[in-house]
């Protein structure tokens, strides 16, 4: 089947999409966007998190056909220009990235959290990001990055 | 050359000791970093593995005809198609590339299928018909050693018996006024890295193959791989693709031989990417351990002897079991001064999943045993467990059970003291947020059943390779001018698994050569061996290599500058992309002017100081180059009625020699501590009596989430190591050793239960483990007088002193 | 395989009637796991995410009509006051990403004994509304589950909505997992006090082939509260009653040993959860006076 979606602001078509395919597969294998990671294919790790119509979702659990006509934003779409999003910037700066395989999913989840809740407390951050597994960092530096990005979001956003 | 992989680049100067940003960080946060599972080239086919559903069976027949008949299928290969050697292995080449006439563990590869797309490949794999004649698997490691047990591999099931005999145990037992012993168990932990095993093999025109793969040690892969492919090593070229975590699980081969043999057979590129389920079958795990520890001490708490027997289940093939058991034994006395020791370690073959390297490498298991038994001894002595540890803390000059004198910093007492001085997290009062309670938002307690406990543990481990191995690491450093600026390129085969070795390489090049722009080119086998990203050795060894090569380059540059300027080279230094006179501070010239179109390149091979093998009968020998120490204090809250645990705080004190990159060092400590937390409370691969893996998924193999990991404050010690580059010491493994026993000791303190086994399950805390399950029933410890500083109910208050 | 898009309930019902083997998919959090692993190869997938009727809720005759396609995140955000038990359970489902997509209708369709929605729906006495070309029917949720991952749904039927009494008394939900987030229930218990009709509702999860009520426990508790005049007096709950209630809840369970937990632990934890949730609910009831 043919699937048409808006991905990172661009209308994209994919042909010969299998009905059983996931949005994650569509993004990675057909649309050349491997930023979203495949680490479990069952919604247990969050590495494939993307915005689907403005809401973070595990793209491995969305059938490609369900994304027809949807608006998808992936990690690649968060920094379309040269400048990083404050969340991405904070992840690099605070040491929240080690192997980085979980990073794209974390960046999207953290981006969503701060959009909904600009100054989250630690418990809120932990609950909001508990759907993203990281095996390298022990999460401390990820918490730091989210706190740091939270401090920067309002002013930086107003100047953008 | 390596167009599929990106170079990591720094554009601002950050020398050693700074928290320089990762050169690959920008690529990783934008999703542009190429992991091994992201690689794609035109014409690539996709391959999958057919694996055994049995732990032990004879292969009666393999029929691939139905699979081959499926449209889109390009090849189905079995052992008959392996072009060269049929087996490989880290220590012994005993693991079949594809099973020949029998399978020895659940998940053993039997056949390969390549097809145009993953779904077709998987469906074809289901159509490969293998007829098995199953037989009774050997699954109990103790029974595997009994006379008459069926040999899983070879003539008997003993992989290695390591013996350490130190001092006079008979006399020591006379001296000991107090003796405690206990049996302890550690379950099978998995590395559970997030990036699945994957790679891309591309046949080359010379009849060889290019392999892009996530690995911890490219040259060891090559050494095992080339013979299997029947190719000379120079026709097999490996490039490190982005590695999504490793932790030991990428030392052994996974997709390497399979992808390459298919690529060679088909003459087209082959991609392999394991699913999560296959990943659990596709790498070795941490050895499950059964251990007996006996400590003798004087009444005032001085350790007199330790006697230990360690049994590690190596599973079906050898992998690194012979050295894992050795490492477990080396440190079975823990980070303590113990004059007499008798340690026996046995690694055995069974039909369970093969076990090998995982962060800590055997020392995790023995640390759990020794630290658990020390808490038991403290109870017996009615002594504060922290005081007992301080009283026996190892120091520089301590003689290990292997007879070696500890010659570097050994600040065990100081680490413990720093933990003791750290204020305890406040006890929560009033109505509490569910997220701070055991059970979390699942709303299992509002404060009912809660008891707090505090536990301590220390870990010690050798850094780098031990036992007479000549460890080597190679670096090639090039200085040239590009785009009007000097650029240093660092080329090594060192595996960046996330730990940050490329960051440190760039920092060293910047420090040694005073150059702002450093490019760390992708690791591959075109340069010499870097050794493995294991044994907490990579920063040490690679730093030595990069530093050495940089100093050769600097020597040449400064010699030129001396000729040009007429000043002696000895007063010149490289700073800010130029040469300065270090006496006057004058800028002598720029590197750009000095080099012109020339490039200066040097290769340096770094070796650490020689070590000896241990004596096979006594275990005596100077086997190690260095030791690293970490200590933990865990504070837990246990819902004793439901058996649920919340770790409130996990504080680490660790000596790192020199923090080359403090942010990265903290990241290693926090990550290692969290993995230890997982082993303490939730992580276990469950293998049933038929040798089958029961939980190969992230649904049932649970690793800690952000709601499980507590704040982890760190006390960093930087006591320069005398023998290492810049005084650094290995960092990655030590926090994984002590985290687990500190947490379990805290749970023991909260509950008064014995808890011999890690991970501690709710069943252990509530007496609901089914009968027949080993180490099931929680036995309350014998009543002892509460130690000083202990509140009623077995909850230690803040230690005195 | 065919992929069917439905944009109205009529569409969806017609599509299912025409393709009785079609698997309805909303959040995909169960269906796609099976499809990804090739454990399920349905002849067709019927996408319900664009069916507006399924993503609305309203109150009718004192009952909440919850569209089957409403994700857990909306249950938490919009229905915490009306359906507190379900909202508490929804907060424990998977991860935030899963809660953004997963639905109560999907949970019912999968009918896993470990589904988190089931215990609070059982405790609240919910009804499941099913629709097909042949018409509509409502099934009490306690009659909805027929076996492990089986339910009364006919091949041409869709789960349209769940009807639940808007809350009249305290509700509680408690779930055991071996980590503090993103965990499948080892055992779960839901309690609803219905003071208006002096009844008690319960629901047990992960401790029997299907989610189930603990009827004897409900009867015991309602009877004892009645006999002691506690519904009216809102006096303290006798500790022995909470214990006895816990015992009866355990007696209703028929758990197994599996990799997630032992049968004995499941029973033990149900006893504790039943006692604790009753204590909390009763305290809420007393405070509400």
């Amino acid at each position: 089947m043919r699937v048409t979606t808006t991905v990172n602001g661009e209308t994209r078509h994919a042909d010969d999409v299998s009905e059983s395919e996931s949005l994650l597969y569509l993004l990675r294998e057909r649309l050349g966007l491997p930023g979203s990671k495949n680490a479990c294919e069952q919604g247990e790790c969050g590495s494939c998190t993307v915005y689907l119509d403005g809401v973070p979702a595990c793209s491995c659990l969305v059938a490609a056909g369900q994304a027809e006509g949807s608006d998808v934003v992936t990690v690649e779409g968060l920094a379309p220009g040269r400048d990083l999003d404050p969340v991405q910037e904070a992840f690099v700066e605070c040491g929240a990235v080690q192997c980085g395989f979980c990073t794209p999913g974390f960046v999207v989840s953290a981006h969503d959290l701060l959009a909904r809740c600009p100054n989250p407390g630690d418990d809120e951050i932990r609950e909001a990001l508990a759907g993203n597994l990281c095996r390298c960092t022990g999460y401390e530096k990820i918490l730091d990055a989210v706190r740091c990005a939270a401090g920067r979001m309002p002013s930086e956003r107003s100047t953008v | 050359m390596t167009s599929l992989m990106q170079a990591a680049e720094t554009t601002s100067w950050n020398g050693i000791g700074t928290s320089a940003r990762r050169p690959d960080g920008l690529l990783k946060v934008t999703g542009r970093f190429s992991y091994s599972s992201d690689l794609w080239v035109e014409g690539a086919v996709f391959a999958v593995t057919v694996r055994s559903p049995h732990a032990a069976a004879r292969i009666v027949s393999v029929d691939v005809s139905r699979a081959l008949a499926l449209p889109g299928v390009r090849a189905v290969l079995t052992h008959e198609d392996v072009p060269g050697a049929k087996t490989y292995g880290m220590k012994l080449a005993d693991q079949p590339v594809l099973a020949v006439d029998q399978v020895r563990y659940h998940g053993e590869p039997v056949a390969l299928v390549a097809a145009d797309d993953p779904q077709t490949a998987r469906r074809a794999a289901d159509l490969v018909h293998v007829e098995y004649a199953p037989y009774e698997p050997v699954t109990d490691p103790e029974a595997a050693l009994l006379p008459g047990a069926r040999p899983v591999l070879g003539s008997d099931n003993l992989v290695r018996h390591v013996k350490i005999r130190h001092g006079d145990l008979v006399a020591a037992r006379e001296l000991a006024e107090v003796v405690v012993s206990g049996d302890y168990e550690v379950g099978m932990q998995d590395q559970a890295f997030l990036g699945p095993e994957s790679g891309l093999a591309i046949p080359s025109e010379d009849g060889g193959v290019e392999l892009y793969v996530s690995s911890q040690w490219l040259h060891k892969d090559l050494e095992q791989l080339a013979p299997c492919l029947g190719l000379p090593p120079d026709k097999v070229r490996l490039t490190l693709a982005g590695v999504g975590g490793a932790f030991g699980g990428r030392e052994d081969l996974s997709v390497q031989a399979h992808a390459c043999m298919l690529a060679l057979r088909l003459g087209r590129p082959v991609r392999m990417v394991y699913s999560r389920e296959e990943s659990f079958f596709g790498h070795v795990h941490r050895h499950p351990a059964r251990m007996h520890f006996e400590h003798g001490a004087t009444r005032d708490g001085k350790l007199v002897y330790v006697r230990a027997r360690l049994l590690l289940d190596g599973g079906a093939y050898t992998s690194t079991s012979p050295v894992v058991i050795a490492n477990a034994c080396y440190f079975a006395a823990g980070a303590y001064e113990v004059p007499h020791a008798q340690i026996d370690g046995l690694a055995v073959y069974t039909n369970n999943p093969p076990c090998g390297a995982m962060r800590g490498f055997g020392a995790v298991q023995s640390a759990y045993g020794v630290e658990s038994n020390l808490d038991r001894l403290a109870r017996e002595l009615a002594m504060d467990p922290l005081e007992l540890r301080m009283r026996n803390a190892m120091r520089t000059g301590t003689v290990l059970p292997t007879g070696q004198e500890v010659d570097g910093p050994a600040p065990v007492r100081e680490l413990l003291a720093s933990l003791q001085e750290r204020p305890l997290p406040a006890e929560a009062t009033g109505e509490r947020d569910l997220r701070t309670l055991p059970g979390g938002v699942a709303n299992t307690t509002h404060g009912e059943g809660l008891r707090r406990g505090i536990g301590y543990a220390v870990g010690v481990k050798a850094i780098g390779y031990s036992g007479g191995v000549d460890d080597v690491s190679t670096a090639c450093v090039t200085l040239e001018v590009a785009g009007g600026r000097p650029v240093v390129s660092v080329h090594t085969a060192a595996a960046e698994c996330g730990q940050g070795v490329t960051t440190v390489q760039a920092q060293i090049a910047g420090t040694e050569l005073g150059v702002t722009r450093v490019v760390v080119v992708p690791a591959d086998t075109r340069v010499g061996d870097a050794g493995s990203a294991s044994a907490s050795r990579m920063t040490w060894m690679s730093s030595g290599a990069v530093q050495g090569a940089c100093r050769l380059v600097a020597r040449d540059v400064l010699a030129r500058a001396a000729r040009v300027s007429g000043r002696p080279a000895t007063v010149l230094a490289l700073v800010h992309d130029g040469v300065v006179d270090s006496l006057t501070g004058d800028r002598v010239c720029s590197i750009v002017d000095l080099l012109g179109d020339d490039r200066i390149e040097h290769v340096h091979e770094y070796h650490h100081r020689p070590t000896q093998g241990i004596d096979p009968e006594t275990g005596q020998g100077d086997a190690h180059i260095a030791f690293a120490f970490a200590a933990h204090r865990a504070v837990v809250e246990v819902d004793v009625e439901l058996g649920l645990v919340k770790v409130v705080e996990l504080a680490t004190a660790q000596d790192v020699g020199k923090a080359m990159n403090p942010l990265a060092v903290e990241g290693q400590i926090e990550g290692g501590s969290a993995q230890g937390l997982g082993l303490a409370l939730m992580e276990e691969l469950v293998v049933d009596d038929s040798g089958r893996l029961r939980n190969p998924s992230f649904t049932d193999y649970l690793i800690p989430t952000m709601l499980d990991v507590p704040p982890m404050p760190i006390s960093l010690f930087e006591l320069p190591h005398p023998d290492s580059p810049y005084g650094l010491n290995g960092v990655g493994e030590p926090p994984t050793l002590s985290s687990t026993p500190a947490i379990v000791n805290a749970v023991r303190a909260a509950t008064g239960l014995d808890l011999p086994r890690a991970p501690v399950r709710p069943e252990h805390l509530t007496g609901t483990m089914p009968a027949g399950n080993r180490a099931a029933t929680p036995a309350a410890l014998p009543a002892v007088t509460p130690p000083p500083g202990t509140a009623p109910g077995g909850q230690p208050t803040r230690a005195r002193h | 395989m065919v992929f069917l898009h439905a944009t109205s309930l009529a569409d969806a019902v017609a599509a299912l009637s025409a393709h009785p083997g079609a698997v309805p998919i909303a959040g995909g959090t169960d269906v796609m796991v099976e499809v990804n692993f090739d454990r399920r190869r349905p002849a067709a997938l019927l996408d319900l995410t664009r069916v507006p009727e399924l993503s609305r809720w309203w109150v009718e005759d004192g009952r909440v009509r919850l569209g089957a396609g409403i994700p857990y995140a909306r249950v938490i955000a919009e229905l915490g006051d009306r359906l507190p038990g379900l909202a508490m359970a929804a907060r424990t489902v998977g991860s935030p990403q899963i809660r953004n997509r997963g639905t109560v209708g999907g949970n019912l369709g999968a009918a896993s004994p470990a589904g988190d929605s089931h215990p609070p729906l059982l405790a609240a006495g919910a009804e499941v509304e099913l629709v097909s070309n042949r018409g509509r029917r409502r099934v009490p949720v306690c009659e909805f589950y027929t076996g492990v991952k089986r339910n009364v749904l006919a091949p041409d039927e869709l789960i349209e909505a769940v009807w639940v009494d808007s809350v009249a008394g305290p509700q509680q939900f408690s779930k055991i997992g071996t980590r503090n987030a993103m965990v499948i229930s080892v055992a779960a218990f839901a309690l609803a006090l219905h003071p208006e009709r002096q009844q008690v509702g319960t629901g047990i999860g992960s401790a029997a082939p299907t989610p189930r009520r603990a009827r004897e426990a409900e009867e015991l508790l309602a009877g004892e509260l009645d006999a002691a005049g506690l519904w009216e007096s809102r006096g303290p709950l006798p500790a022995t009653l909470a214990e006895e209630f816990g015992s009866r809840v355990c007696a209703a369970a028929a758990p197994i040993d599996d990799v997630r937990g032992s049968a004995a632990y499941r029973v033990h934890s149900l006893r504790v959860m039943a006692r604790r949730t009753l204590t909390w609910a009763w305290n809420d009831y007393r405070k509400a006076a």
Side-chain angles (χ1 to χ4, degrees), chain A residues 114-130:
Chain A
L114 296 179
R116 288 184 288 111
C117 177
N119 285 297
D122 282 1
D123 289 336
E124 276 172 286
I125 300 174
R126 289 184 189 277
E127 188 174 8
L129 300 185

Side-chain angles (χ1 to χ4, degrees), chain B residues 7-51:
Chain B
E9 189 171 335
T10 58
T11 50
S12 61
W13 190 88
N14 288 101
I16 62 164
T18 68
S19 288
R21 293 180 174 210
R22 302 183 64 94
D24 57 14
L26 183 72
L27 293 169
K28 285 179 173 176
V29 294
T30 53
R32 290 185 285 126
F33 185 77
S34 292
Y35 293 90
S36 52
S37 52
D38 297 335
L39 305 178
W40 183 90
V41 289
E42 195 62 43
V45 296
F46 196 94
V48 300
T49 327
V50 178
R51 292 177 181 271

Side-chain angles (χ1 to χ4, degrees), chain B residues 97-424:
Chain B
V97 176
L98 291 169
V100 179
D101 55 353
Q102 58 175 316
V103 288
R104 296 184 179 86
Y105 72 95
H106 177 207
E108 180 160 1
V110 176
L112 302 168
V113 177
D116 292 345
D117 64 87
Q119 192 179 64
T120 305
R122 278 195 292 267
R123 290 189 176 178
D126 290 344
L127 296 175
V128 173
H129 181 74
V130 185
E131 192 186 332
Y132 296 98
Y135 43 79
E136 191 65 24
V138 177
T139 56
D140 183 323
E142 203 73 69
L145 289 173
L146 296 176
R150 184 177 55 74
V152 170
L153 190 68
S155 55
D156 64 43
N157 288 325
L158 182 66
V159 178
R160 183 178 178 187
H161 180 177
V162 175
K163 299 175 201 170
I164 295 176
R165 308 283 180 262
H166 191 69
D168 180 347
L169 205 78
V170 176
R173 292 182 109 170
E174 297 286 316
L175 285 172
E177 295 163 314
V178 179
V179 173
V180 295
S181 64
D183 292 301
Y184 303 97
E185 278 194 34
V186 175
M188 185 186 287
Q189 191 181 20
D190 191 78
Q191 297 82 358
F193 41 70
L194 283 195
E197 292 88 342
S198 40
L200 171 67
I202 306 175
S204 46
E205 284 176 7
D206 64 357
V209 63
E210 298 274 340
L211 177 66
Y212 297 82
V213 69
S214 43
S215 169
Q216 283 175 248
W217 189 358
L218 291 173
H219 283 80
K220 190 71 182 181
D221 286 0
L222 174 62
E223 177 193 314
Q224 297 171 84
L225 178 59
C228 296
L229 299 176
L231 288 173
D234 63 335
K235 286 203 170 177
V236 182
R237 289 163 292 263
L238 278 73
T239 301
L240 189 74
V243 180
F247 319 116
R250 296 191 209 268
E251 274 217 322
D252 296 65
L253 297 186
S254 59
V255 302
Q256 286 88 334
H258 296 162
C260 288
M261 58 188 271
L262 279 163
L264 290 168
R265 168 66 76 95
L266 290 169
R268 49 195 296 191
V270 173
R271 289 172 72 195
M272 285 191 91
V273 181
Y274 285 179
S275 67
R276 177 55 50 191
E277 182 181 14
E278 184 166 16
S279 177
F280 278 108
F281 291 105
H283 59 256
V284 297
H285 315 291
R286 187 188 299 292
H287 292 73
R290 294 185 192 175
M291 302 175 285
H292 180 82
F293 275 82
E294 178 184 310
H295 279 99
T298 60
R299 186 48 71 189
D300 63 354
K302 276 302 279 181
L303 292 174
V304 178
Y305 76 88
V306 62
R307 190 165 151 260
R309 178 179 183 269
L310 315 174
L311 177 65
L312 299 189
D313 183 349
Y317 295 102
T318 305
S319 182
T320 46
S321 287
V323 274
V324 172
I325 187 62
N327 209 49
C329 292
Y330 293 148
F331 300 103
Y336 306 102
E337 228 166 48
V338 191
H340 306 277
Q342 179 183 316
I343 297 157
D344 288 273
L346 301 112
V348 301
Y349 295 112
T350 64
N351 290 113
N352 293 325
C355 290
M358 182 175 172
R359 197 175 194 170
F361 207 73
V364 162
Q365 292 90 326
S366 50
Y368 179 74
V370 69
E371 291 296 317
S372 297
N373 211 46
L374 276 191
D375 262 34
R376 185 176 291 207
L377 175 62
R379 286 176 194 238
E380 187 64 31
L381 292 167
M383 180 179 281
D384 183 301
L386 180 62
E387 172 62 25
L388 176 65
R389 286 178 170 82
M390 304 255 268
R391 214 169 268 194
N392 293 285
M394 183 183 281
R395 64 195 80 197
T396 305
T398 293
V399 176
L400 298 170
T402 50
Q404 181 172 359
E405 192 175 301
V406 174
D407 60 349
V412 176
R413 192 184 162 80
E414 293 78 0
L415 295 175
L416 287 166
S418 80
L419 291 173
Q420 184 186 18
E421 284 156 20
R422 182 178 287 284
L424 283 166

Side-chain angles (χ1 to χ4, degrees), chain B residues 556-570 572 579 588 594:
Chain B
D556 285 8
V557 177
L558 295 179
R560 279 187 191 215
R563 281 200 301 277
V564 171
S565 66
R567 302 180 200 225
T570 47
L572 300 177
V579 181
V588 175
L594 206 56

Side-chain angles (χ1 to χ4, degrees), chain C residues 116-196:
Chain C
D116 295 316
S117 309
H118 311 312
L121 292 178
L122 285 164
E127 287 185 312
V128 186
E129 181 159 6
L130 308 176
V131 61
S132 72
N133 245 354
R134 298 172 285 124
R136 284 194 166 77
R137 60 171 176 146
R138 288 193 195 178
V139 181
V141 73
C142 58
E143 294 166 20
F144 180 77
Y145 316 103
T146 56
V148 177
K149 298 190 176 184
R150 286 189 293 120
N151 56 34
V152 300
L153 216 56
D156 65 341
E157 272 182 319
L158 268 183
I159 301 169
E160 180 181 353
V162 179
W163 291 84
V164 198
D165 285 353
S166 198
V167 66
Q171 300 186 352
Q172 284 290 342
F173 173 80
S174 188
K175 159 179 157 180
I176 302 284
T178 38
R179 73 179 166 192
N180 283 324
M182 205 161 46
V183 65
I184 292 180
S185 148
V186 172
F189 182 72
L191 174 71
L193 299 182
H194 305 296
E196 76 288 358

